[in-house]
Amino acid sequence: MQVQTLPAQSGDPVPHPRLGHVETVIVQSRVLSCDGGLGALGHPRVWLRIAGHQTFCPYCSRLFVLSPDAGEDTAH
């Protein structure tokens, strides 16, 4: 599978790789939020929890992958 890096979006300082046609975001925490990343053109903010090693946003299909070097997340 080829990984392609995209330029950072407005307000997002880190470029995100794409796996196939899905935007993939590497995260350091099991609890995160997604709002589509396009300001007013995005979607309602949703809170997501990574149970295994990845999850996806039900609105925009962004794939969030837990970084292998992420520490244990002890938040409720």
Side-chain angles (χ1 to χ4, degrees):
M1 186 177 286
Q2 185 176 2
V3 177
Q4 176 184 25
T5 302
L6 298 177
Q9 293 179 351
S10 173
D12 189 357
V14 180
H16 299 293
R18 273 195 192 263
L19 298 176
H21 293 14
V22 178
E23 183 177 6
T24 304
V25 182
I26 310 300
V27 295
Q28 297 293 322
S29 175
R30 290 188 179 276
V31 178
L32 57 111
S33 67
C34 181
D35 63 5
L38 299 173
L41 299 176
H43 59 68
R45 176 173 290 162
V46 292
W47 289 92
L48 307 168
R49 178 178 295 276
I50 299 176
H53 67 279
Q54 66 184 29
T55 192
F56 73 96
C57 176
Y59 282 97
C60 64
S61 299
R62 275 185 176 167
L63 179 64
F64 295 93
V65 178
L66 187 63
S67 173
D69 61 338
E72 281 298 314
D73 199 352
T74 58
H76 309 269

